[in-house]
Amino acid sequence: MANRPHPRRAETNSQSPRAWATCQRCGFVTNHDKLQFQYEWRGTQIQNTNLLVCDDCLDELQRQLGTIILPPDPMPVMNARPEPYPIDEIWPRLLQGGQPRYLERSTCSRSLQANRYYNTD
């Protein structure tokens, strides 16, 4: 008796028959017991995508698909005294000929009061 030709990935045995199935990702026919469910990160948990795939098509879990839980911000400092860094800065791009730069048809300075930060004496 001639055996039916079978796909390359499917194994047959007349003594213990096993079901064939098609991989839902690549379309190759293989034994049903070799297929696995595909899982993915969804939000903060791993969920089944209900895709039966072969070993070659099975993807690793990608943690970047999940939600990242950030820790809360630290408590603020009461009466904080930040360092006055703008006093130490020299912004030559904010000056034009020693004077603050102005936008076209504008009466206010573009420089956030550049003369306050840059001594033109």
Side-chain angles (χ1 to χ4, degrees):
M1 178 173 135
N3 288 336
R4 175 180 168 207
H6 61 279
R8 180 176 52 165
R9 293 186 180 193
E11 297 172 0
T12 59
N13 186 350
S14 61
Q15 303 301 322
S16 64
R18 295 186 298 169
W20 290 354
T22 303
C23 173
Q24 290 181 310
R25 187 160 287 149
C26 66
F28 285 119
V29 176
T30 186
N31 292 96
H32 190 272
D33 58 352
K34 290 184 179 180
L35 296 178
Q36 300 176 32
F37 280 106
Q38 178 68 55
Y39 289 88
E40 279 186 358
W41 276 98
R42 302 272 172 100
T44 57
Q45 59 190 353
I46 298 172
Q47 286 188 349
N48 188 355
T49 60
N50 290 325
L51 286 177
L52 277 172
V53 295
C54 60
D55 288 336
D56 296 334
C57 297
L58 187 64
D59 290 335
E60 295 178 16
L61 293 174
Q62 300 287 326
R63 184 59 185 104
Q64 67 262 24
L65 295 177
T67 303
I68 298 172
I69 307 287
L70 297 177
D73 290 339
M75 294 299 294
V77 177
M78 294 299 292
N79 297 320
R81 301 291 187 255
E83 193 69 29
Y85 291 114
I87 292 174
D88 300 331
E89 301 276 335
I90 296 175
W91 300 343
R93 294 193 65 206
L94 298 178
L95 298 176
Q96 188 171 19
Q99 299 298 319
R101 290 176 66 183
Y102 292 92
L103 296 173
E104 283 187 42
R105 296 187 219 81
S106 174
T107 58
C108 65
S109 172
R110 176 181 177 182
S111 64
L112 302 173
Q113 300 180 2
N115 57 352
R116 180 175 174 205
Y117 302 118
Y118 184 77
N119 191 359
T120 58
D121 293 334

